[in-house]
Amino acid sequence: MPEKRLISRSISVPKNLFPLLHDKKVPYNSASIADMIYRQKPPGKSSESIKIHINNKAFFTLPGKSVLEACLENGIYVPNLCFDTRLKSQGACRLCVVEIEGMPGAVASCVTAVKEGMKIKTDTPYIREMVKVNLELIISDHPLDCMTCQACGYCVLQDLAYIYDVKDIAYSGKVHEKKVFSDNPFIRRDNEKCILCGRCVRMCDGVVGANAIGYAGRGFESEIIPAFEQSLLDTDCVFCGNCISTCPVGALQSKPYIKKARIWETEEVKTVCPYCGVGCVLNLQVKNNTIVNVDSDIGGNPNKGNLCVKGKFGLDFVSSPKRLNSPMIKDKSGKFKKTGWEKSVSEVSSKLGSIIKKYGPDSVAVLSSAKCTNEENYLMSKFARAVIGTNNIDHCARLCHASTVTGLIPTFGSGAMTNSIDDIKYADAAIIIGSNTTEAHPVIGYELIRCVQENGLKLIVIDPRKIPITKYAELHLRQKPGTDIAVLLGLMNEIYKNGLVDRDFIDSRTEGFETFKASFADYSAEKAAGISGVDIDSLIKAAQIYGKAKNALIFYAMGITQHTCGTENVMAIADLAMMTGNVGRPGAGVNPLRGQNNVQGACDMGALPNMFSGYQGVENDNMRWRFEKRWEKTLPNKNGFTITEIIEGAAAGRIKAMYIMGENPMISDPDILHIASALKKLEFLVVQDIFLTETAEFADIILPGACFAEKDGTFTNTDRRVQRVRKAVKAPGLALEDWKIICMLSSAMGYSMDYRNPSEIMDEISSVTPIYGGISYDRLEEEGELRWPCRQHNDPGTSILHTINFTGGKGRFIPVTHTPPAEMPDDNYPFILTTGRILYQFHTRTMTGKVKGLNEIAPANIAHINAEDAESSGISDGDKVILKSRRGQITAGANVDANIKKGVVFIPFHYADSPANMLTNPAYDKKAKIPELKACAVKIMKV
Amino acid sequence: MQISDLPKYPLSQDEITVINEVIKKYRDKKGALIPVLQEIQKNIGFLPVEVQKKIAAELNIAEKEVYGVATFYSFFSMIPRGKNDIRVCLGTACFVKGGKKIADKIQKELGIKPGQTTLDRKYSLQVNRCVGACGLAPIIIINDKIYQKVKTEEVMDIIYSYNK
Ligand code: SF4
Ligand code: SF4
Ligand code: SF4
Ligand code: FES
Ligand code: FES
């Protein structure tokens, strides 16, 4: 359990940091200061560093930093209110004044760059007086109701008033009446308390890119408000709450968390967000076993303190009354009856035992979970292979990135993101293809948007929809769903034609280019544009931008992978990157964005039918022997079934029993009517989850698991960062950590699993998994995060893959051809349906469905239809429509949307009462067995 | 005043044409926001919220940017000037002699507060400090014409006499 803190987010300013206060121990909050002091390590002396003097002492810093940053990172505190490491400095509050030799008067240190030999004084009587006067000015127009303010205890203004002893209001000028805005589910703005530091506006514009709020009025009357004083709901606000996280005072508050606790009553637990693959680090504030607020450390971690609406406001599900709190067994009448662990475990073990005996171990299949920890996935793989004796184990990565693995392993040798999020800033150009980044991976979206605005990064978006990030794109190529390869080949053809290939790279680092050339040889820009429907000039320009960039990144997600040609799509991306030499450098690489918080980890841990942890093939004798030795058991030596094949097997009666941990295929998988009939055929189904999901309804036995906030462990995020998950609250009722449940079951089935804690499991993982070889809880505690491959205890981890050699030695060009989707529109089903995510819901809504505010914003399923199509089908905005495919039909609301290409319909897949996967086509990619969720033919009718 | 309280002043067809032309003229120019706002303000006399939203959409500028500029310069207004401008003196002398009552009555009858304009854009109402004619209190001024010793009962007749 965490240590009890006196004051959350506060740290004591060490004595020597603040000469003014030498004998007082001042609790100091300013998140930005805390982070500057503790996170940004001073660079020390190096060839690049320059020497400066602060208060007569010499320090080293790097050119390009501001004086304020240089002071803070060297442990010298300078007061500040409008500064945040995440934002461009503006110099608004004038609290950060210092004296600099050779410059007249006091200068604002946050907007002054350091220079070699600069002599800085931070604490002279003159400066002290100026700071105090500035504080008095600010406080004279600030309501003094600290006693009822939610920010009391972490407000920077309050702390500074305390430090500088500002009590009387020296200028009792006019105090204004300003407005309160809280007509939305998440954010309360009280402009009476606003000190106009401008941080929220810079955050919303510069980082989030939403431009939702701005200054209005002039002079004394000016305030920060949404345009026309409308509700934030009517602006482009994405409710990320990052404006709240940067506000130094109590003007911005998280509505759902107001009045839940005073900050000093809470304990803070640092853990990782349970939603998407970005892996944002969250600080959960806990009081009485309940999460009462969420924030994030500013400056560090993949997210630097930024979050999205789900991480910030989407955690109510943890304490939902609907959580499963006891094992349940279905009785004869089909009703679930609560029972204890002993009964349920012995029931599961004897049932599984007898099925194995009767039909053999390969009649059992296991679905592991991208929501569970690495340790749990590893144990699940061990359970399937060593206890049940089958390789029939898979998880939802099959549905999202299986084609990444089958596409990148033959080309690069590794199926993970080649670069890290911190690397985006080094790129001059980036292609985003088939990824709605700002909605599905918001924090990566922010970094892209920030780099566009601050560094001039050139974005090329290739997507059938005008997704939000196109606002920041240099070019938007709108292809028809399923024509990605044609576009990519067109780009390659243009690049080759114009001599923009990187010959050196091709010759020294790759093989197969000469044969590969035939793939794009006849894909002239005209032909590519003709097939895909993209604008030909844009295609030519895009080839110029990507081909000429010094460093260029490619980001992709399910728009690429969820096709029958998913593997070839991915290979085409790899080919494009290799022929321009854009692999293996900061700002140059290929980056599949992983959807779930721990989908990378579940793959790494061997929740796959053909691999042990660390991508060690089960059919490879040497690798298998390693596990047999460690697990002391003979292991099955043939690849098992994938999810798609497991469901097929269940339908055909080959699979008799399934054990599903934390997955909900009844919503997430294609053609769910088919899945339902397959699940019904099973002799025995165990579901281990935190809620009674649509899939759990079919179970014979339900085992209640613990959610992310109730256990210790690790998650591996999309850029291969292994980070610690920590227990913050107790699981409800009898619910147990999933790893404990697996251990109990395994032991009951005669294979003892005896771990005292997840740290011991990690030690076992690192002993059999070379890429995790150097990872341990002690190191994670100390270093915060480690990126695999991290092979030895002294290996710092790897932030960029394939720097000198490709993981597979040489990069291999693999020929690709354009293949249209398995199901094309025709007279009966004239539209192409494509599915995806929206910002406010996640996956099958098992978690987000329990969060009130999110469902206020996105309560029901909406189909997005192009305006012309809507008109010709007689549909108007807000109508109810029926969508019908060859497999089923659903109803949804209609949104007539200019952002949709003609002939295309988009629908999110989250909603159980209007499940998009009733329509989708289970036709799959032959290598990856990933279903084509991104394209099928439908018709639309008004209800 | 809350922006949400602002009535939606109907625009005439001519005004809409002017607005569209101004926006069209500047659509692809950089730094066009202020000139666009200026020309519309000059021609229509105010900047309705809907028009600002339209400008934002057509010039590809964030709404909050347009609104920020529109509220920053005193030259811009989001309330139209009425055809007739009523000013009621609320200086001390006028106040005690019934100016307050007159102001209340006008507010009630026209359904607007000081600083506002009627929906048909015929009248706007202003309250003033002493205009230096205390001997004639209470006074009201309509379009630069001064009415003196106004009686509460008569004030609406005076006002409606402009309603031609
Ligand atoms: S929540 Fe995010 S998008 Fe909304 S105003 Fe704040 S910073 Fe902008
Ligand atoms: S709301 Fe907070 S962050 Fe925004 S300007 Fe006011 S004080 Fe600064
Ligand atoms: S971006 Fe992803 S990891 Fe970060 S807060 Fe949002 S859902 Fe969580
Ligand atoms: S921190 Fe430098 S002026 Fe505000
Ligand atoms: S008080 Fe009205 S004119 Fe002086």
Side-chain angles (χ1 to χ4, degrees):
Chain A
M1 281 308 268
E3 274 174 40
K4 185 102 188 162
R5 294 153 310 151
L6 197 59
I7 294 188
S8 161
R9 282 219 261 159
S10 313
I11 40 160
S12 311
V13 176
K15 271 187 203 161
N16 55 344
L17 294 193
F18 199 9
L20 214 146
L21 296 163
H22 29 98
D23 53 0
K24 288 184 212 155
K25 205 177 176 225
V26 181
Y28 204 80
N29 145 62
S30 167
S32 52
I33 291 171
D35 279 289
M36 287 312 290
I37 293 174
Y38 287 99
R39 234 163 250 296
Q40 318 281 325
K41 294 209 178 74
K45 199 173 166 173
S46 74
S47 55
E48 288 149 49
S49 65
I50 55 174
K51 193 168 161 190
I52 55 172
H53 297 267
I54 310 174
N55 300 336
N56 298 325
K57 258 177 86 179
F59 292 99
F60 291 97
T61 186
L62 291 175
K65 296 222 169 182
S66 69
V67 171
L68 178 61
E69 285 171 295
C71 289
L72 293 175
E73 71 184 12
N74 282 301
I76 291 165
Y77 175 62
V78 173
N80 60 79
L81 277 170
C82 67
F83 167 82
D84 182 326
T85 53
R86 294 172 290 176
L87 309 173
K88 260 198 150 147
S89 290
Q90 192 187 26
C93 73
R94 316 305 288 185
L95 278 185
C96 64
V97 284
V98 295
E99 288 183 73
I100 297 177
E101 212 178 271
M103 296 193 190
V107 294
S109 60
C110 69
V111 285
T112 308
V114 288
K115 280 210 192 76
E116 173 72 45
M118 217 175 215
K119 294 198 168 67
I120 302 153
K121 291 228 160 67
T122 68
D123 188 38
T124 64
Y126 171 58
I127 292 294
R128 248 174 277 170
E129 189 52 32
M130 279 213 40
V131 172
K132 187 160 181 184
V133 168
N134 282 341
L135 275 173
E136 282 169 349
L137 271 170
I138 295 168
I139 287 176
S140 70
D141 189 26
H142 191 88
L144 297 180
D145 44 11
C146 296
M147 54 290 264
T148 56
C149 182
Q150 183 70 24
C152 180
Y154 65 89
C155 170
V156 186
L157 186 62
Q158 190 186 47
D159 288 347
L160 286 174
Y162 176 79
I163 294 172
Y164 284 87
D165 205 25
V166 179
K167 21 181 185 246
D168 289 338
I169 300 175
Y171 310 86
S172 43
K174 197 164 135 207
V175 178
H176 1 12
E177 271 181 32
K178 289 195 166 161
K179 299 180 184 94
V180 173
F181 293 87
S182 97
D183 45 359
N184 69 79
F186 296 121
I187 293 172
R188 183 187 148 93
R189 163 178 290 278
D190 179 350
N191 275 344
E192 294 264 344
K193 290 182 182 158
C194 172
I195 59 168
L196 289 173
C197 68
R199 281 162 72 164
C200 53
V201 179
R202 278 177 282 150
M203 174 59 80
C204 193
D205 289 353
V207 175
V208 182
N211 304 116
I213 47 176
Y215 294 87
R218 89 199 72 103
F220 196 57
E221 298 301 330
S222 75
E223 356 183 359
I224 291 172
I225 49 180
F228 318 118
E229 299 177 9
Q230 58 198 346
S231 162
L232 278 176
L233 290 167
D234 297 326
T235 67
D236 288 339
C237 173
V238 292
F239 299 100
C240 61
N242 292 328
C243 48
I244 304 177
S245 79
T246 192
C247 181
V249 295
L252 286 169
Q253 291 296 333
S254 310
K255 248 178 105 178
Y257 300 127
I258 291 174
K259 299 268 178 207
K260 290 272 169 66
R262 306 307 297 261
I263 191 123
W264 53 85
E265 300 172 310
T266 63
E267 290 165 13
E268 190 165 76
V269 182
K270 188 178 303 232
T271 187
V272 180
C273 177
Y275 287 106
C276 84
V278 178
C280 295
V281 173
L282 305 177
N283 293 336
L284 304 180
Q285 296 175 10
V286 179
K287 178 186 166 186
N288 296 338
N289 203 37
T290 317
I291 298 167
V292 292
N293 200 351
V294 180
D295 65 11
S296 183
D297 287 339
I298 289 165
N301 308 323
N303 54 316
K304 298 191 196 143
N306 298 323
L307 295 174
C308 83
V309 63
K310 290 184 287 283
K312 176 78 185 171
F313 297 112
L315 304 182
D316 290 2
F317 73 89
V318 174
S319 55
S320 159
K322 294 202 181 123
R323 283 286 302 274
L324 295 173
N325 56 15
S326 155
M328 294 197 283
I329 298 187
K330 203 180 249 167
D331 65 14
K332 295 246 153 52
S333 66
K335 286 224 178 63
F336 286 112
K337 282 256 160 56
K338 291 195 175 182
T339 163
W341 278 111
E342 212 168 313
K343 172 107 194 283
S344 47
V345 166
S346 80
E347 185 88 7
V348 174
S349 76
S350 71
K351 277 269 172 57
L352 282 181
S354 64
I355 287 177
I356 295 170
K357 214 167 187 182
K358 196 157 153 207
Y359 306 104
D362 286 333
S363 67
V364 181
V366 173
L367 294 190
S368 197
S369 173
K371 296 241 88 68
C372 289
T373 63
N374 286 327
E375 292 73 7
E376 289 164 343
N377 276 292
Y378 173 80
L379 286 194
M380 206 45 153
S381 150
K382 188 171 175 181
F383 178 76
R385 295 180 159 117
V387 183
I388 298 177
T390 180
N391 281 320
N392 292 342
I393 173 171
D394 206 358
H395 71 287
C396 71
R398 183 68 47 204
L399 303 176
C400 52
H401 274 296
S403 36
T404 290
V405 176
T406 51
L408 286 187
I409 295 227
T411 46
F412 288 179
S414 163
M417 246 173 98
T418 60
N419 295 64
S420 89
I421 301 167
D422 319 271
D423 234 52
I424 298 174
K425 57 174 175 282
Y426 302 115
D428 319 297
I431 292 180
I432 301 178
I433 179 165
S435 152
N436 183 2
T437 325
T438 49
E439 297 203 56
H441 300 88
V443 165
I444 293 181
Y446 306 156
E447 183 61 6
L448 286 163
I449 290 173
R450 188 187 72 83
C451 289
V452 168
Q453 301 192 85
E454 277 185 35
N455 309 352
L457 167 71
K458 290 203 169 86
L459 272 190
I460 300 161
V461 174
I462 307 179
D463 203 289
R465 288 194 294 150
K466 196 170 168 206
I467 50 175
I469 203 164
T470 52
K471 193 166 140 196
Y472 293 92
E474 185 93 5
L475 292 170
H476 178 200
L477 312 189
R478 293 180 87 169
Q479 83 282 37
K480 294 186 201 123
T483 61
D484 308 271
I485 293 182
V487 178
L488 292 166
L489 289 175
L491 288 174
M492 292 187 230
N493 185 295
E494 271 297 312
I495 286 172
Y496 187 76
K497 198 175 87 190
N498 291 299
L500 297 172
V501 292
D502 185 339
R503 263 283 153 209
D504 288 347
F505 189 92
I506 294 173
D507 293 344
S508 63
R509 300 277 315 265
T510 68
E511 55 195 34
F513 184 66
E514 291 312 315
T515 10
F516 170 71
K517 270 185 349 203
S519 290
F520 61 78
D522 63 338
Y523 270 86
S524 62
E526 290 77 21
K527 179 170 171 190
I531 296 176
S532 63
V534 307
D535 171 50
I536 179 163
D537 291 339
S538 305
L539 184 92
I540 293 171
K541 266 193 222 141
Q544 291 286 333
I545 293 176
Y546 183 80
K548 284 187 178 156
K550 266 220 313 280
N551 295 307
L553 292 166
I554 303 177
F555 291 89
Y556 73 86
M558 258 105 282
I560 280 296
T561 58
Q562 289 176 340
H563 283 288
T564 42
C565 55
T567 302
E568 289 202 33
N569 279 347
V570 172
M571 287 173 171
I573 288 176
D575 292 333
L576 172 63
M578 286 190 295
M579 79 186 256
T580 51
N582 276 313
V583 187
R585 286 189 312 274
V590 171
N591 298 290
L593 298 175
R594 312 302 303 253
Q596 297 263 17
N597 56 331
N598 199 34
V599 68
Q600 184 66 53
C603 291
D604 297 348
M605 289 302 110
L608 297 170
N610 55 344
M611 316 253 200
F612 293 111
S613 60
Y615 306 96
Q616 307 177 75
V618 295
E619 295 190 347
N620 178 316
D621 293 339
N622 288 325
M623 290 176 176
R624 195 175 60 257
W625 287 335
R626 172 189 298 197
F627 284 86
E628 290 186 341
K629 217 168 117 210
R630 179 73 209 213
W631 291 351
E632 296 170 354
K633 190 84 193 243
T634 318
L635 301 173
N637 59 2
K638 282 268 150 344
N639 288 346
F641 289 156
T642 61
I643 288 196
T644 345
E645 292 161 330
I646 291 171
I647 300 290
E648 279 307 314
R654 280 192 302 277
I655 297 287
K656 303 286 183 192
M658 274 178 81
Y659 185 164
I660 302 180
M661 170 172 82
E663 296 238 323
N664 192 7
M666 269 304 293
I667 302 294
S668 59
D669 294 23
D671 195 1
I672 53 192
L673 290 180
H674 178 64
I675 296 174
S677 71
L679 292 181
K680 273 195 212 128
K681 277 207 174 153
L682 291 172
E683 280 183 28
F684 186 53
L685 172 62
V686 186
V687 172
Q688 179 171 320
D689 211 314
I690 61 173
F691 288 106
L692 187 67
T693 60
E694 291 76 11
T695 304
E697 305 273 4
F698 290 84
D700 297 291
I701 297 190
I702 298 179
L703 305 175
C707 78
F708 85 107
E710 297 152 357
K711 57 181 145 198
D712 286 299
T714 56
F715 289 156
T716 305
N717 83 340
T718 188
D719 69 3
R720 295 172 280 106
R721 253 179 256 232
V722 182
Q723 304 187 106
R724 272 283 268 123
V725 175
R726 293 183 181 84
K727 179 168 176 169
V729 293
K730 287 202 280 295
L734 295 179
L736 267 187
E737 287 97 318
D738 299 82
W739 63 270
K740 285 188 183 159
I741 303 176
I742 302 170
C743 289
M744 277 193 319
L745 254 180
S746 171
S747 303
M749 291 177 73
Y751 183 93
S752 150
M753 280 196 195
D754 188 18
Y755 305 94
R756 275 168 304 171
N757 50 48
S759 165
E760 291 185 357
I761 307 175
M762 181 51 88
D763 292 341
E764 182 175 320
I765 295 172
S766 58
S767 75
V768 288
T769 316
I771 55 173
Y772 276 64
I775 295 176
S776 69
Y777 276 37
D778 287 345
R779 277 193 74 186
L780 287 173
E781 221 42 76
E782 193 143 300
E783 296 165 52
E785 61 186 33
L786 287 165
R787 275 173 235 184
W788 68 257
C790 171
R791 295 175 193 276
Q792 258 110 41
H793 70 276
N794 55 359
D795 178 347
T798 311
S799 113
I800 304 171
L801 297 180
H802 321 304
T803 44
I804 297 164
N805 285 313
F806 279 92
T807 309
K810 289 228 166 179
R812 266 180 301 274
F813 282 96
I814 300 194
V816 292
T817 42
H818 163 68
T819 12
E823 191 178 77
M824 290 297 276
D826 55 22
D827 288 348
N828 290 332
Y829 297 94
F831 295 98
I832 307 185
L833 175 85
T834 182
T835 66
R837 286 184 183 178
I838 57 170
L839 174 65
Y840 298 102
Q841 297 290 359
F842 191 80
H843 224 238
T844 65
R845 277 175 86 236
T846 304
M847 287 152 46
T848 49
K850 274 91 186 173
V851 180
K852 191 164 149 261
L854 295 177
N855 292 292
E856 271 172 53
I857 298 184
N861 211 6
I862 304 279
H864 299 256
I865 303 163
N866 171 280
E868 275 176 54
D869 293 339
E871 207 184 300
S872 58
S873 320
I875 293 166
S876 31
D877 211 38
D879 280 352
K880 256 205 155 35
V881 291
I882 293 179
L883 286 104
K884 194 164 176 342
S885 79
R886 291 190 172 81
R887 289 152 296 276
Q889 68 174 51
I890 61 172
T891 45
N895 179 314
V896 177
D897 190 340
N899 298 334
I900 295 282
K901 200 176 170 76
K902 195 164 176 299
V904 177
V905 180
F906 170 80
I907 193 158
F909 73 90
H910 310 293
Y911 296 87
D913 56 358
S914 170
N917 282 324
M918 198 92 112
L919 310 173
T920 45
N921 189 355
Y924 52 71
D925 177 284
K926 276 180 206 63
K927 294 201 191 81
K929 313 276 164 67
I930 191 169
E932 184 147 65
L933 296 171
K934 290 292 180 207
C936 73
V938 294
K939 61 176 155 198
I940 319 169
M941 291 151 292
K942 195 171 152 174
V943 177
Chain B
M1 183 204 51
Q2 296 281 139
I3 301 288
S4 50
D5 297 344
L6 273 183
K8 268 199 189 142
Y9 297 103
L11 293 172
S12 71
Q13 201 47 54
D14 288 352
E15 288 171 326
I16 293 173
T17 318
V18 170
I19 291 168
N20 288 339
E21 272 168 13
V22 173
I23 293 179
K24 208 165 126 204
K25 184 162 116 202
Y26 287 99
R27 185 161 13 223
D28 293 317
K29 303 217 170 84
K30 276 220 159 84
L33 179 57
I34 292 185
V36 167
L37 293 177
Q38 268 170 333
E39 278 194 34
I40 294 175
Q41 170 82 38
K42 206 167 86 207
N43 284 301
I44 318 293
F46 75 123
L47 298 170
V49 169
E50 283 60 43
V51 173
Q52 292 184 46
K53 286 193 179 178
K54 192 179 159 95
I55 295 172
E58 303 249 338
L59 299 187
N60 222 341
I61 299 175
E63 288 185 354
K64 59 123 189 182
E65 208 74 53
V66 178
Y67 181 67
V69 172
T71 54
F72 185 82
Y73 296 99
S74 54
F75 176 74
F76 299 129
S77 157
M78 289 168 65
I79 301 175
R81 267 289 182 93
K83 227 170 96 205
N84 302 296
D85 185 28
I86 311 167
R87 281 181 283 164
V88 182
C89 177
L90 285 184
T92 323
C94 290
F95 192 93
V96 295
K97 290 223 165 141
K100 178 74 174 54
K101 276 200 199 117
I102 289 174
D104 288 348
K105 170 118 186 181
I106 300 175
Q107 289 186 42
K108 212 174 128 214
E109 291 284 329
L110 295 182
I112 53 173
K113 297 204 182 81
Q116 297 185 351
T117 300
T118 53
L119 198 56
D120 58 10
R121 289 161 67 181
K122 281 207 174 114
Y123 299 103
S124 351
L125 176 65
Q126 232 78 252
V127 294
N128 267 76
R129 304 251 177 108
C130 174
V131 296
C134 307
L136 307 172
I139 65 160
I140 68 170
I141 305 167
I142 302 181
N143 302 343
D144 299 329
K145 184 167 171 16
I146 299 184
Y147 294 83
Q148 27 179 294
K149 298 204 172 161
V150 178
K151 297 207 178 69
T152 320
E153 309 83 69
E154 288 168 358
V155 67
M156 289 321 293
D157 292 340
I158 300 176
I159 287 171
Y160 288 139
S161 72
Y162 284 80
N163 199 1
K164 280 167 232 147

